[in-house]
Amino acid sequence: MAVSTKPTVYVTRHLPDEAWKRLWEFCRPASWDFEYSPPSAVLRENVTDKAGLLCLLTDTIDAELMDSAPLLRVISQCAVGYDNIDVPAATLRGIRVGNTPGVLTETTADLAFCLLMAAARRVVEGAEYVKAGRWQTWGLTLLLGQDVHGATLGIVGMGRIGAAVARRAGGFGMRILYHDRVRKPALEVQVGATFVSLDRLLSEADYVTLHVDLSASTQGLIGEAELDLMKPTAILINTSRGPVVQTAALVTALKSGKIGAAALDVTDPEPLPGDHELLGLPNALVVPHIASASSATRLRMAMMAVENLEAGLAGRPLPYSVNAPD
Ligand code: DGY
């Protein structure tokens, strides 16, 4: 029987069939096929003899793991964010790291806007009210929400996804403020956004939507002081990373009415335990990190991750690369 010379890779979750089939064309994949991440010991054991790793944002890929995988040449993350990977450690070890930027921009912006609207118009509360058999009549003051059209939107982090949210806001006639590390004059003209300080954004916006990467400078960015600046009616939307918001401070702000509501796709901790205090609050809407979860986008993400893996195994620069180890 002929022995395969294809490189071996470990895949930390079940991939769409098309991506899985494509993998077999250039490597020998082994995979972890459960809903949750492989435990760290399982991950370590499985990468020891692998040349490639295709992982998700829930897998911790640190220096220790890399050291247990002496043959590892490429780490391909099936997500745009890669705060779960120690990229400098990979670079130091000559391991290429790739991600899946761009393809999920519009899908993620769709969900950010959907959360904004759902929280503004109390859509989930309304659906629960009907399901509970409480709908007796048309009520003049029943489930009153807030207008989205004409309101002020504050975008924190005007990258690809922030800009895509701004384009949607334009269609609703919103006034758009943004804050970023760097000012983006061309984009300001394109989407009609005004650059302001974070403090001004927080104090003037009716809706604050977060689109920053998770890094040392954005961890805990929204805490008590920032929530204090927001309007008592303001709605906070987070589709970036949970730890950008200080959860305890958010719970206090929601309970005391310091802000109006929060609509979260990401949380800290994540996943949020079913008995977490946030889930008992009527003004908190939480969904399970599904911003990029359309079938088409998830397939595109998986195919991009496979493309990165193939290039890395062949010793070529990755098409969607986050480091340059050589
Ligand atoms: C990402 O890709 O970083 C999102 O959080 C999940 O799609």
Side-chain angles (χ1 to χ4, degrees):
M1 196 175 102
V3 177
S4 169
T5 53
K6 287 178 184 170
T8 53
V9 309
Y10 190 59
V11 182
T12 65
R13 220 63 56 82
H14 181 73
L15 293 181
D17 289 350
E18 198 178 326
W20 186 247
K21 245 171 77 188
R22 178 77 191 90
L23 270 184
W24 277 98
E25 291 172 18
F26 61 86
C27 68
R28 276 186 300 140
S31 68
W32 171 261
D33 286 330
F34 300 91
E35 278 288 315
Y36 50 90
S37 299
S40 55
V42 172
L43 183 55
R44 200 166 335 110
E45 195 186 308
N46 277 282
V47 293
T48 45
D49 57 347
K50 302 293 188 298
L53 172 64
L54 196 156
C55 55
L56 301 193
L57 52 89
T58 45
D59 305 313
T60 302
I61 313 297
D62 54 16
E64 200 188 324
L65 182 86
M66 296 173 204
D67 287 339
S68 63
L71 307 177
L72 199 60
R73 300 202 291 270
V74 53
I75 298 170
S76 177
Q77 165 100 332
C78 187
V80 63
Y82 48 86
D83 46 275
N84 56 311
I85 303 174
D86 187 340
V87 177
T91 308
L92 211 63
R93 289 159 179 77
I95 303 171
R96 292 188 160 101
V97 182
N99 68 339
T100 63
V103 285
L104 48 77
T105 300
E106 299 298 332
T107 305
T108 302
D110 283 349
L111 190 92
F113 218 81
C114 164
L115 286 176
L116 183 158
M117 296 201 67
R121 298 304 304 273
R122 304 173 64 184
V123 171
V124 175
E125 280 173 87
E128 280 167 0
Y129 181 88
V130 174
K131 274 193 186 161
R134 295 174 59 203
W135 187 16
Q136 303 297 331
T137 182
W138 184 87
L140 190 62
T141 55
L142 178 64
L143 285 166
L144 298 180
Q146 302 183 30
D147 282 330
V148 173
H149 69 272
T152 297
L153 175 67
I155 300 177
V156 181
M158 190 61 114
R160 277 183 289 250
I161 299 171
V165 171
R167 285 194 294 276
R168 283 155 180 76
F172 281 76
M174 296 179 93
R175 169 179 172 242
I176 305 168
L177 305 177
Y178 82 99
H179 180 75
D180 201 301
R181 279 167 311 187
V182 283
R183 205 173 152 172
K184 311 203 165 158
L187 197 60
E188 286 174 23
V189 178
Q190 251 176 50
V191 301
T194 305
F195 179 82
V196 291
S197 68
L198 181 60
D199 285 6
R200 182 168 159 208
L201 181 151
L202 293 169
S203 58
E204 290 187 19
D206 299 301
Y207 302 94
V208 174
T209 183
L210 306 177
H211 300 287
V212 291
D213 295 338
L214 178 62
S215 66
S217 62
T218 60
Q219 174 131 18
L221 181 70
I222 305 296
E224 188 184 345
E226 291 71 28
L227 292 160
D228 268 348
L229 290 174
M230 290 171 67
K231 296 181 181 181
T233 48
I235 294 178
L236 177 70
I237 300 108
N238 191 7
T239 53
S240 62
R241 285 291 182 266
V244 172
V245 176
Q246 297 175 32
T247 304
L250 177 63
V251 168
T252 306
L254 289 169
K255 275 166 97 174
S256 64
K258 243 190 232 168
I259 69 166
L264 312 172
D265 179 47
V266 290
T267 57
D268 181 24
E270 190 173 310
L272 207 58
D275 60 354
H276 194 280
E277 213 179 350
L278 256 182
L279 300 179
L281 302 178
N283 51 353
L285 167 58
V286 184
V287 296
H289 205 150
I290 52 169
S292 66
S294 75
S295 316
T297 292
R298 285 287 166 85
L299 175 60
R300 278 191 223 115
M301 287 166 68
M303 294 306 280
M304 273 171 96
V306 168
E307 252 187 89
N308 271 339
L309 197 65
E310 182 175 19
L313 291 173
R316 295 194 307 267
L318 312 191
Y320 318 100
S321 177
V322 301
N323 73 344
D326 29 45

